[in-house]
């Protein structure tokens, strides 16, 4: 075979082997587990039972009447809403404050990103030491005379929920700040200068120049924040362990509790399928709405 023919054959094959390998890995590590989990959700699989029977959609029907699942779903949605709003608002604010070419701005952006680099477990342990009744926060509050008695930040349902929201927001603000900083640095300075020459004030320039230009960054930041928060587990496990009185159990936490405490793998798989569907619907819906917003800006 001539060299010319061999070259043409290689070009025809191209990246096909790599594409095939990628498809095989995708099928092995995503499609197969997903299908297997769905099949398991249609059974009453329990590691304590010798046999497992096919029960159809009975597990999904049970979820509709499961008060613990509905409570965990409500808690998850509260955390998702709080974290998404707070982390994106403060992320944009910090990005605008740190959007500069000077060296100290770069150092500050690096410091702000540190919480995102840390493991969620490490962050939760740090914050637990701060929020316990004899922790740093209560020591400061009592030392300054703002409170007479230590506040049980992790011992009451409302304060425990608020504490988790604040800790997760603190973590995700690091990510949103980086996304918005990159988006702001892609905005041409000429646009702001032209708007300034036309008499537009700072607020006007922000609403009519900055926000439309960083719309793609907003879409990425909001969507990824939603996805990350919907599957929240590690921070809750360390901070509150799902308590007090199971008030801070997320859907992911309840799923793991059902699977490895109650050993109901079939029911846990049904919860996983619902969580997957919820995440997909929310992510797709938010992305669709934000993309439409980008088109109209």
């Amino acid at each position: 075979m001539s060299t010319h023919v061999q070259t043409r054959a290689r070009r025809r094959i191209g990246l096909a082997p790599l594409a095939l390998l990628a498809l095989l890995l995708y099928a092995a590590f995503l499609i197969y587990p997903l299908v297997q989990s769905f099949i398991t959700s249609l059974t009453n699989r329990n590691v304590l039972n010798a046999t497992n029977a096919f029960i159809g959609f009975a597990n999904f029907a049970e979820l509709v009447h499961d008060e613990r699942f509905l409570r965990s779903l409500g808690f998850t949605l509260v955390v998702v809403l709080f974290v998404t709003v707070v982390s994106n608002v403060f992320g944009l604010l910090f990005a605008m404050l740190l959007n500069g070419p000077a060296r100290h701005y770069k150092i500050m952006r690096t410091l702000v990103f540190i919480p995102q680099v840390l493991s969620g477990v490490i962050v939760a342990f740090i914050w637990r030491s701060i929020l316990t009744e004899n922790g740093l926060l209560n020591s400061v509050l009592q030392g300054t005379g703002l409170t007479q008695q230590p506040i049980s930040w992790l011992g009451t349902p409302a304060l425990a929920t608020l504490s988790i929201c604040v800790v997760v927001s603190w973590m995700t603000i690091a990510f949103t700040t980086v996304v918005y900083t990159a988006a702001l640095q892609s905005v041409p300075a000429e646009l702001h200068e032209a708007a300034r020459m036309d008499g537009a004030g700072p607020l006007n320039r922000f609403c009519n120049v900055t926000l439309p230009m960083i719309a793609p960054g907003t879409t990425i930041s909001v969507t990824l924040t939603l996805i990350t928060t919907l599957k929240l587990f590690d921070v809750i496990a360390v901070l509150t362990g799902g308590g007090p009185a199971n008030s801070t159990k997320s859907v992911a936490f309840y799923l793991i509790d059902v699977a490895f405490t109650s050993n109901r793998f079939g029911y846990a798989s049904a919860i996983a399928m619902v969580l997957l569907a919820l995440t997909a619907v929310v992510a797709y819906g938010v992305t669709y709405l934000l993309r439409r917003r980008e088109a109209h800006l």
Side-chain angles (χ1 to χ4, degrees):
M1 183 181 295
S2 65
T3 304
H4 179 67
V5 174
Q6 291 177 347
T7 302
R8 290 182 58 186
R10 282 196 297 268
R11 289 178 179 175
R12 190 178 298 112
I13 295 174
L15 297 176
L18 291 178
L20 178 60
L21 177 61
L23 288 174
L24 291 175
L25 292 175
Y26 182 81
F29 293 103
L30 183 64
I31 301 300
Y32 175 75
L34 183 62
V35 172
Q36 187 63 39
S37 181
F38 178 71
I39 294 173
T40 303
S41 71
L42 303 178
T43 69
N44 63 349
R45 183 180 178 188
N46 188 318
V47 294
L48 301 180
N49 295 337
T51 59
N52 302 290
F54 176 81
I55 59 174
F57 290 93
N59 285 325
F60 294 93
E62 183 180 347
L63 282 175
V64 178
H65 306 286
D66 187 344
E67 292 185 2
R68 291 182 298 173
F69 170 74
L70 297 177
R71 189 161 55 245
S72 69
L73 179 60
F75 168 76
T76 301
L77 294 178
V78 168
V79 175
V80 167
L81 181 61
F82 183 98
V83 172
T84 300
V85 173
V86 170
S87 62
N88 280 276
V89 170
F90 280 91
L92 178 57
L93 176 62
F94 290 158
M96 294 181 67
L97 292 175
L98 300 176
N99 184 32
R103 181 181 180 85
H104 62 277
Y105 284 114
K106 297 180 181 179
I107 296 175
M108 289 299 297
R109 288 198 293 268
T110 302
L111 294 176
V112 168
F113 190 66
I114 288 177
Q116 184 65 29
V117 178
L118 296 176
S119 165
V121 174
I122 295 175
V123 170
F125 271 114
I126 294 172
W127 276 95
R128 192 174 71 173
S129 67
I130 295 173
L131 296 173
T132 53
E133 291 195 11
N134 58 347
L136 177 62
L137 180 56
N138 279 327
S139 298
V140 172
L141 292 176
Q142 291 179 276
T144 55
L146 294 176
T147 60
Q148 299 300 319
Q149 299 294 330
I151 300 173
S152 181
W153 296 103
L154 304 177
T156 57
L159 290 179
T161 300
L162 177 62
S163 299
I164 289 172
C165 289
V166 170
V167 172
V168 178
S169 297
W170 182 77
M171 291 176 58
T172 52
I173 283 173
F175 170 75
T176 58
T177 299
V178 171
V179 173
Y180 284 119
T181 300
L184 287 171
Q185 291 181 348
S186 67
V187 179
E190 295 81 4
L191 293 178
H192 285 286
E193 186 62 30
R196 187 181 295 108
M197 293 179 64
D198 288 338
L203 181 60
N204 195 301
R205 293 198 302 272
F206 174 76
C207 294
N208 296 296
V209 177
T210 303
L211 282 182
M213 292 300 295
I214 67 171
T218 302
T219 301
I220 294 172
S221 180
V222 170
T223 303
L224 292 181
T225 303
L226 282 169
I227 294 173
T228 300
T229 315
L230 277 170
K231 56 187 181 66
L232 184 65
F233 168 76
D234 50 357
V235 173
I236 297 173
V238 175
L239 270 183
T240 65
N246 296 323
S247 61
T248 59
K249 280 189 176 182
S250 64
V251 175
F253 192 102
Y254 182 55
L255 185 161
I256 293 175
D257 190 29
V258 168
F260 298 103
T261 301
S262 303
N263 296 309
R264 297 184 62 191
F265 281 18
Y267 192 56
S269 296
I271 298 174
M273 291 294 101
V274 172
L275 180 59
L276 174 63
L278 176 64
T279 304
V281 169
V282 170
Y284 178 80
V286 169
T287 303
Y288 175 75
L289 292 175
L290 292 177
R291 289 293 187 187
R292 288 192 62 184
R293 170 179 171 270
E294 290 178 28
H296 288 88
L297 290 177

